[in-house]
Amino acid sequence: MNVIKFQFGSKNRRGKIVKLSEDSFRFDYYDVNEKDSSYEFLSSRGFHGGGPSWAGIIYGLIKLKDEKIFRQIDFDPESDGLAIWSSKRLPLENISTLIDEVKNDPSLMNKAIEIAMADSQME
């Protein structure tokens, strides 16, 4: 079994992980409900601001950290939020921590957006 471990500066997590069965988990993230929502910032740059934008940001973050995680997750962007599915909890925990890091580091946010835009993954 190949377990991906990330080295993160932040230990805070965002969003919610739901265990659906022994081998099915869903991560839900709704930035629009956060006290420090990035919706206005993203909209001002011409992006959707909700789930499709966060799918792009997370895509960029994963490309920066470890692309192998893509094999363990499925994105399901919604209008206001984002669901990510996995058969394992750990990749979703790592994504939750990544979101907290990017929310606290504007340069990381910009780099993730840049990567997502280059791969046509940013809305």
Side-chain angles (χ1 to χ4, degrees):
M1 178 168 69
N2 185 14
V3 176
I4 296 173
K5 293 188 179 182
F6 286 49
Q7 297 298 319
F8 299 121
S10 169
K11 297 299 178 199
N12 296 321
R13 295 204 173 127
R14 304 274 183 138
K16 178 181 176 183
I17 297 174
V18 179
K19 181 178 182 178
L20 303 169
S21 70
E22 286 303 312
D23 62 351
S24 181
F25 298 87
R26 186 186 73 232
F27 171 72
D28 298 322
Y29 183 67
Y30 290 82
D31 178 71
V32 295
N33 297 333
E34 298 273 21
K35 292 178 186 175
D36 61 347
S37 175
S38 300
Y39 179 81
E40 293 297 325
F41 165 74
L42 294 168
S43 312
S44 73
R45 294 192 54 194
F47 301 119
H48 179 278
S53 296
W54 277 97
I57 292 165
I58 294 168
Y59 172 89
L61 290 169
I62 292 170
K63 284 208 63 166
L64 279 170
K65 298 289 185 175
D66 190 341
E67 293 184 17
K68 290 179 264 183
I69 199 170
F70 286 123
R71 293 191 302 253
Q72 298 179 19
I73 62 170
D74 290 306
F75 287 97
D76 185 10
E78 302 166 1
S79 180
D80 288 342
L82 173 66
I84 301 175
W85 301 80
S86 180
S87 62
K88 298 178 175 30
R89 184 178 180 94
L90 183 60
L92 303 178
E93 290 175 352
N94 291 338
I95 289 168
S96 176
T97 302
L98 272 176
I99 291 172
D100 190 64
E101 283 190 7
V102 80
K103 294 287 287 183
N104 291 296
D105 185 345
S107 65
L108 182 58
M109 172 86 74
N110 288 326
K111 183 67 176 165
I113 289 171
E114 180 182 306
I115 290 168
M117 287 177 61
D119 289 354
S120 300
Q121 297 295 313
M122 191 67 199
E123 287 186 44

